[in-house]
Amino acid sequence: MNIQWYPGHMAKAKRNIREDLKLVDLVIEVVDARCPESSRNPDVDSFAKDKSRILLLNKADLADKRITQKFADYYAKKGFYTMEIDARNKGSLKKLPNLIEEACQPVIEKNLKKGIKTPSIRAMVLGIPNVGKSTFINSYVGRSMAKTGNKPGVTRGNQWINVGKRLQLLDTPGITWPKFEREIVGLNLALIGSINDQIINIDELVFYLLKYLVRYYPSALIERYGDTLSGIDEAIRVFDEIGKKRGCIKKGGDIDYSKTAKIILDDFRNGRLGKITLEHTPGSTDDVVASVADALK
Ligand code: GDP
């Protein structure tokens, strides 16, 4: 299943973002810790080359902690300032002011040399839809500034927000990019709800998820759907079994895969399957990002 999603309003938003980037010292990119590579917009690397960069691994509460840590190290080595957060929880943002200061040290020093004593920092918050940008801004700013929702595309138009005396944040609409080079990126983004569900074949998407879970998180399936799944290593049989367990049976007695798929997807998105990460750090021995989608076809 080759998923692509780049509606017209995003191309326009991208032009605005590029323009507004000239105004900021720092780019804070929010990604989903369950698939940081897939949810990182590659366009940002090209148009924010000369900016300080913070990468927030959000929804860390839903991700596999061991892998999130590896991603944090991986991005730190690439020159990003990184932090794992749960944007709904203010406590997880406590260290962010220090990180921002650290990331902006070169700019602050440059300004001090120019005689600007308490230079303010201007930062742009970027991220694809549904990664939690608005939730992050609301938690960090301490009041409800940005609209949140669990549907992509709630945030529209760029907006400046003052945080204390020193920091100004520029909120931006969630955008994807024109072409997902690898099939797995589209699948992962669909799984985390960053792509409009209406353009997705949910049954196929969930079939892929089950293949992944059977291979990497079999115990999560057993814990959620019961012992009868134990030892079953074929995704289609797992699909059947869950369908039966959840009473998703059509009139003639066949499994109602659409109904079953919706239940499984909802369970995954809401963390009811436990802490699950959909990819590994590129280049690591357990790098499955590139291979898994092909191997599991
Ligand atoms: P945006 O489109 O990037 O602005 O995303 P939103 O801020 O609207 O968040 C999308 C959904 O994810 C909402 O239902 C949020 O409550 C939820 N959410 C945001 N951050 C987190 C997080 O760290 N953990 C969990 N579990 N849910 C989150």
Side-chain angles (χ1 to χ4, degrees):
M1 184 168 42
N2 193 357
I3 302 167
Q4 300 291 342
W5 193 52
Y6 190 61
H9 75 267
M10 290 192 186
K12 190 165 170 261
K14 181 166 127 180
R15 283 196 295 276
N16 291 341
I17 287 172
R18 283 191 89 141
E19 202 46 42
D20 288 344
L21 261 171
K22 294 177 192 151
L23 309 171
V24 306
D25 313 303
L26 170 71
V27 169
I28 300 177
E29 192 176 359
V30 184
V31 298
D32 189 312
R34 291 169 296 176
C35 56
E37 269 300 273
S38 297
S39 59
R40 228 161 64 72
N41 184 340
D43 284 347
V44 179
D45 285 344
S46 61
F47 54 63
K49 256 197 239 115
D50 52 346
K51 306 288 173 191
S52 300
R53 303 278 298 272
I54 287 182
L55 199 66
L56 296 178
L57 298 163
N58 190 33
K59 307 202 183 186
D61 57 301
L62 298 174
D64 187 328
K65 206 166 173 40
R66 186 183 60 90
I67 305 177
T68 307
Q69 187 53 56
K70 284 192 177 177
F71 269 111
D73 295 344
Y74 169 77
Y75 291 121
K77 280 196 190 114
K78 281 181 154 264
F80 291 93
Y81 290 83
T82 61
M83 239 176 85
E84 296 168 29
I85 63 165
D86 166 355
R88 297 164 316 162
N89 171 4
K90 270 189 196 153
S92 75
L93 302 172
K94 248 199 282 186
K95 292 186 179 154
L96 188 57
N98 284 345
L99 197 72
I100 292 176
E101 288 282 323
E102 216 183 305
C104 291
Q105 208 47 47
V107 185
I108 294 169
E109 275 166 23
K110 208 168 88 186
N111 283 340
L112 282 173
K113 272 187 198 147
K114 282 192 206 157
I116 309 170
K117 281 210 184 84
T118 47
S120 63
I121 295 167
R122 277 167 301 188
M124 178 182 273
V125 180
L126 279 175
I128 65 167
N130 210 42
V131 287
K133 283 179 309 302
S134 312
T135 308
F136 157 68
I137 290 175
N138 289 337
S139 286
Y140 195 52
V141 176
R143 54 188 186 273
S144 197
M145 289 297 310
K147 277 190 207 131
T148 62
N150 53 11
K151 265 195 297 193
V154 171
T155 323
R156 295 268 153 96
N158 298 358
Q159 214 190 339
W160 281 106
I161 300 154
N162 291 322
V163 187
K165 284 194 183 126
R166 233 158 114 59
L167 179 67
Q168 286 181 301
L169 288 182
L170 184 61
D171 187 14
T172 62
I175 57 166
T176 56
W177 57 101
K179 188 170 188 308
F180 305 143
E181 292 296 338
R182 288 170 310 174
E183 185 187 12
I184 193 169
V185 172
L187 291 166
N188 286 345
L189 297 191
L191 285 171
I192 62 167
S194 289
I195 288 173
N196 190 341
D197 277 343
Q198 277 162 0
I199 66 149
I200 295 162
N201 180 331
I202 301 286
D203 304 9
E204 269 188 56
L205 179 68
V206 167
F207 188 43
Y208 165 72
L209 175 67
L210 288 177
K211 285 176 177 173
Y212 185 86
L213 295 175
V214 163
R215 186 153 154 185
Y216 293 100
Y217 294 97
S219 55
L221 288 167
I222 294 164
E223 257 167 54
R224 178 71 189 159
Y225 304 111
D227 279 344
T228 47
L229 289 185
S230 163
I232 305 183
D233 56 5
E234 268 180 87
I236 188 66
R237 287 185 52 216
V238 171
F239 217 157
D240 286 347
E241 199 61 33
I242 299 172
K244 276 188 239 159
K245 288 231 149 158
R246 290 291 186 263
C248 304
I249 310 289
K250 289 184 185 165
K251 263 192 192 139
D254 290 343
I255 303 287
D256 187 336
Y257 288 111
S258 296
K259 210 168 157 188
T260 315
K262 284 201 185 90
I263 292 173
I264 298 169
L265 186 58
D266 200 52
D267 282 348
F268 167 74
R269 286 182 176 168
N270 290 295
R272 289 191 289 267
L273 294 178
K275 296 176 189 295
I276 286 168
T277 295
L278 298 166
E279 60 186 14
H280 294 72
T281 46
S284 72
T285 46
D286 47 9
D287 173 15
V288 288
V289 178
S291 61
V292 94
D294 297 332
L296 297 179
K297 254 181 212 162

